[in-house]
Amino acid sequence: MSTTQIRILAIDDNKGVLDDYVKVLVSKPQPEDMSGMEDALFGEKLTEDVSARLNCIVDTAMQGDEGLEKIRQAKLTEPYDVVFVDMRMPPGWDGLQTMKEIWRIVPDQFVVLCTAYSDHSFDDIVRELGMKSNFLILHKPFAPDEVQQIVQSVVARTSNQVRTDRKLASQLERAIVNEELSLAFQPILNLATGEIWAFEALCRWERDGKPVSRPDEFIRVAEDSGLICDLGNWVLREAMACSKELESATNETIRISVNVSPLQLKPGFDDALAYMLIVNGIQASSIGLEITESRILETGSESETVIANLRDLGFHILLDDFGSGYSNLLGLASKVFETLKVDRLFCAGLHSSSCTIPIVKSVIDVAIGLGKNCIVEGVETKHQEDTLRRLGCNLVQGYLYSPPIALDEAIEWFRNRNKSQSRFAA
Ligand code: C2E
Ligand code: MG
Ligand code: MG
């Protein structure tokens, strides 16, 4: 029978209370405490068997500072499942402040605020911290079974997926610092001439030559855990350094197109990129920024201003995965986007469904009519290529030409481009 290990941190300024947490949680819960606990635990009902499998590891910290340091440390290895925080701390430092700091370090940390009846009301606290789904209030003095039940219900709500994601996020944080990430480059080609128009830089996470996680998975985890800005900055710095290397190896400027999460588009991002250009000694026009349409509406007008500033700095702005989200013709007409990338699902449908062809054709017509470039992603067959040429598409990307490859292979690919061009001329 496998045991579920729960990591708990209790923060207080009273040694006696901290000892109580350890006493209460390390002793096994009694079966009668489980009555009414109907939540599913890893897809099972919470039965006596399951409760007996909970193994609580309780860590304690005297006051906020020590607690925050422990949370920072644990984040790099095994993050805590629950943190209990006392509302009353010494003057100048209270529980609410500790909670705010905790969420700055681990945005989805589950926190239980322990408060005496005379302290702030629930409404006060919600007014101060906002309504969150990851916090509970426990009134003091607490009964042992209340604490146990909280832990069990937190475990029950924390699905396998959340636990896996949390673990992946803590590994990813180390991977960014330890430079375990790398970039692969996939050519984007001019369909008429076969010339390379740009390389798309795609992030890879490998250990001992094997992928640790797929990009769509670890990028989602990075977005959910708040790591996306650190990851994105690493990608941008690396892409700029590679752009410089590509230029000196080929004596030509070939644009590198980088994926940018809308969550990175905060005020100051434009200035940071302008600074990176200076440090790397490259022109903004040699970098493309691919912004996925599906989350752009969520981030609002602040990000639109940042995109407009980036465009003014000279970066080439692309709207990625067009058709997969909510963007409409107004979005398409937006002046800031110079290039539109049609989601690869549309290309996959080009030979199997006749109704996909008119849709792809109208997207290409609108983009070209507005004076924009149109890249169709995911071209895998000659038949798709022929159809796209007929529909007036000007740029293509896909396994038919090359999978994403390492920088030295990309340089080689560029040098041999005439060979690949000959098949376009035919
Ligand atoms: P994307 O930006 O739309 O990138 C294109 C994806 O399609 C890449 O998947 C590429 O390997 C794949 N692809 C290219 N040609 C073909 C083809 O012919 N057929 C098929 N089936 N697939 C093809 P990859 O590298 O797994 O990346 C997945 C997604 O992860 C990317 O989609 C992008 O949204 C995200 N991503 C990758 N790197 C980064 C990054 O550095 N930052 C951010 N924010 N997102 C990234
Ligand atoms: Mg992309
Ligand atoms: Mg795409």
Side-chain angles (χ1 to χ4, degrees):
M1 184 194 290
S2 68
T3 305
T4 303
Q5 203 175 67
I6 311 300
R7 290 173 53 77
I8 297 160
L9 175 67
I11 310 174
D12 205 313
D13 67 341
N14 181 330
K15 172 104 178 50
V17 175
L18 291 175
D19 288 345
D20 282 348
Y21 280 110
V22 179
K23 247 185 270 152
V24 166
L25 290 165
V26 171
S27 65
K28 288 268 178 275
Q30 297 305 303
E32 51 269 30
D33 293 336
M34 303 300 131
S35 55
M37 295 293 298
E38 289 294 298
D39 282 340
L41 172 62
F42 304 133
E44 304 168 57
K45 290 284 176 199
L46 194 61
T47 60
E48 287 175 31
D49 268 1
V50 173
S51 72
R53 278 191 255 155
L54 294 183
N55 172 20
C56 295
I57 296 180
V58 185
D59 214 351
T60 58
M62 286 291 275
Q63 300 171 7
D65 277 340
E66 190 188 336
L68 294 175
E69 190 47 41
K70 289 202 163 177
I71 290 169
R72 258 182 228 111
Q73 293 296 325
K75 188 182 169 189
L76 299 175
T77 49
E78 287 276 314
Y80 293 110
D81 294 287
V82 195
V83 177
F84 287 85
V85 179
D86 186 33
M87 180 64 159
R88 285 202 174 158
M89 295 280 187
W93 186 266
D94 70 358
L96 289 187
Q97 195 177 344
T98 312
M99 281 174 82
K100 282 188 202 161
E101 294 294 326
I102 290 174
W103 284 330
R104 217 165 276 156
I105 302 168
V106 182
D108 63 347
Q109 178 68 63
F110 199 97
V111 180
V112 181
L113 188 64
C114 305
T115 170
Y117 289 103
S118 54
D119 285 332
H120 302 270
S121 71
F122 183 80
D123 286 349
D124 287 345
I125 295 169
V126 169
R127 206 171 302 123
E128 179 75 20
L129 297 174
M131 191 48 131
K132 300 253 187 189
S133 59
N134 56 343
F135 103 94
L136 280 179
I137 294 183
L138 175 66
H139 289 295
K140 286 208 300 190
F142 49 73
D145 59 345
E146 272 184 302
V147 177
Q148 288 175 348
Q149 285 197 358
I150 285 176
V151 170
Q152 284 148 10
S153 62
V154 167
V155 174
R157 353 165 331 145
T158 313
S159 67
N160 257 342
Q161 183 64 52
V162 172
R163 290 163 161 273
T164 311
D165 284 0
R166 236 189 243 164
K167 202 158 183 180
L168 202 63
S170 75
Q171 288 179 18
L172 181 59
E173 185 162 22
R174 268 178 294 159
I176 298 168
V177 176
N178 298 341
E179 307 246 332
E180 275 180 27
L181 303 182
S182 61
L183 292 182
F185 298 87
Q186 189 177 32
I188 301 173
L189 304 171
N190 182 314
L191 189 48
T193 64
E195 275 175 40
I196 296 181
W197 181 80
F199 280 108
E200 178 173 9
L202 292 153
C203 193
R204 297 289 178 262
W205 179 11
E206 289 175 351
R207 207 175 286 148
D208 304 325
K210 292 196 191 96
V212 177
S213 164
R214 289 199 335 259
D216 44 5
E217 183 182 47
F218 71 78
I219 295 293
R220 176 186 58 76
V221 167
E223 289 186 327
D224 292 346
S225 62
L227 285 172
I228 192 65
C229 293
D230 287 347
L231 185 149
N233 284 342
W234 180 87
V235 168
L236 281 156
R237 278 197 303 271
E238 184 69 8
M240 288 189 193
C242 290
S243 163
K244 193 87 188 153
E245 212 174 317
L246 201 55
E247 192 174 321
S248 41
T250 61
N251 284 326
E252 281 184 61
T253 305
I254 310 150
R255 182 178 295 131
I256 292 189
S257 199
V258 180
N259 291 284
V260 172
S261 161
L263 301 178
Q264 291 172 257
L265 300 170
K266 300 197 185 105
F269 180 66
D270 37 359
D271 294 335
L273 257 67
Y275 180 72
M276 274 188 215
L277 288 176
I278 297 168
V279 170
N280 286 284
I282 60 167
Q283 301 290 318
S285 57
S286 59
I287 298 292
L289 302 174
E290 300 196 4
I291 299 163
T292 308
E293 65 152 347
S294 57
R295 294 188 80 164
I296 199 146
L297 289 188
E298 292 170 29
T299 51
S301 62
E302 222 176 39
S303 57
E304 283 171 32
T305 310
V306 175
I307 300 173
N309 292 345
L310 290 166
R311 163 80 199 248
D312 291 346
L313 282 168
F315 289 98
H316 188 95
I317 312 287
L318 302 90
L319 182 61
D320 204 354
D321 299 344
F322 182 75
S324 64
Y326 321 88
S327 62
N328 49 27
L329 288 181
L330 280 178
L332 179 56
S334 158
K335 283 205 184 77
V336 290
F337 293 106
E338 292 155 282
T339 298
L340 211 109
K341 296 190 80 170
V342 180
D343 195 76
R344 64 172 188 263
L345 285 177
F346 287 97
C347 190
L350 277 182
H351 50 135
S352 61
S353 146
S354 57
C355 67
T356 309
I357 294 179
I359 296 172
V360 176
K361 178 168 170 37
S362 61
V363 172
I364 295 172
D365 284 351
V366 174
I368 305 283
L370 288 167
K372 298 179 190 298
N373 296 300
C374 185
I375 304 171
V376 174
E377 300 188 76
V379 183
E380 293 182 357
T381 67
K382 187 79 181 73
H383 178 266
Q384 289 168 342
E385 180 189 90
D386 291 341
T387 310
L388 290 169
R389 190 176 278 116
R390 206 161 32 83
L391 298 180
C393 168
N394 65 337
L395 298 165
V396 281
Q397 176 180 357
Y399 296 160
L400 178 63
Y401 314 104
S402 168
I405 47 182
L407 181 65
D408 48 355
E409 293 172 89
I411 292 170
E412 211 41 43
W413 215 92
F414 184 79
R415 290 194 176 124
N416 294 332
R417 68 194 189 283
N418 288 340
K419 281 189 212 151
S420 57
Q421 265 172 266
S422 58
R423 55 180 291 279
F424 283 82

